[in-house]
Amino acid sequence: MVGGGQLARMTHQAAVALGQSLRVLAAGPEDPAALVSPNVVLGSHTDLAALREVASGATVLTFDHEHVPQEHLKTLVAEGVHVFPSPQALLHAQDKLVMRRHLTELGAPVPPFSTVVSVADAVSFGEEHGWPCVLKAVRGGYDGRGVWMLADAEAAATVVAEQLAAGTPLLVEQRVDFRRELAAVVARSPFGQGAAWPVVETVQRDGICALVLAPAPALGPELAEQAEQLALRLAEQLDVVGVLAVELFETQSGKLVVNELAMRPHNSGHWSIEGARTSQFEQHLRAVLDYPLGDTSMTMPVVVMANILGAVHTPAMSMDERTHHLFARMPEAKLHLYGKTERLGRKVGHVTVLGTEVQDVRERAERAAHWMSHAEWTDGWDVHGE
Ligand code: ADP
């Protein structure tokens, strides 16, 4: 697996049960997956020699992020490496313009968009489609980095000029007036088998995923079916192998619009570790190894995952002591720590709570994650009291 982040770390965990071992290409020895895998190549995902080394003798090469340059992927394929997802498929998760254009051709719902090579391009788009509109880096964005809301022509002039000067390829798209954000996560194997998890709601704060509710509360069965079918269809039409996460907007009028695609285990699927019969990490491995896919049904009616994000002020209390307190108060909370140091907004772990009633499960998951981030109980619970 190229990339040594938490996705590789959790994939490694799933690989153990399948009798597989995951070799990772990590940028440094402190990367989350490098800390747990005995089989680590240290190097950059942009270095062909490092990519060759990690792929050497492996059954298949797959990814925990989408940043490997296309030319390297194509070279590896030409040298006989089994790369899944293929470079052609992965391109749609690397390049938002390619993705938007191809999805338009395939008749998938996307917002109106246009390429931006000058300030005038963005301004005329805003004038035609209305302000505010959304400027995006075509490549390389994540966790909201590379996304700018343009309030008006004046804001467009400043931001577009700045980004063009920095050499960022840009696109602009209509701001979708959404009710909420959803994700349809599916997997597809080379044999052509597809499997979908229930559609989830994702809650973002400051451009970062804070919470995932499975299944998406009060989502009509028709819209849920539409989202699942759309994701399965895109997996097939784009020839994706592995996990595909389709990030969606549910508009105010109850329609679906595709925001973006990820072809790897995704934050919106972490709940599946405890919440589904087959986790996204196991499923990704099954898919890239061309095993039959596993049962995606839920283990409990409601599952909520809350990310543990680095706080403004890292608490004086150690992560270990916070863990003691969390477990003492909430034996039902399932904790995943990634071995990362805390920094503002950084995903350092997540908590999953399972249950039957969404309000209750959500409250407990949020309370647990807030505790782990801040060493502070939101309901005033006294750690040394009764
Ligand atoms: P990233 O690649 O950084 O995850 P996204 O394209 O997913 O970037 O955008 C990050 C967030 O910005 C989205 O989750 C959503 O909240 C908001 N956003 C992105 N595109 C639009 C849009 N067209 N309309 C409204 N909000 C948007």
Side-chain angles (χ1 to χ4, degrees), residues 96 136 142-144 147 173-174 176 181 247 259-260:
K96 289 181 178 170
K136 292 186 175 183
Y142 68 98
D143 285 352
V147 175
E173 63 186 34
Q174 193 167 57
V176 177
E181 296 190 60
E247 296 179 17
N259 178 26
E260 66 166 344

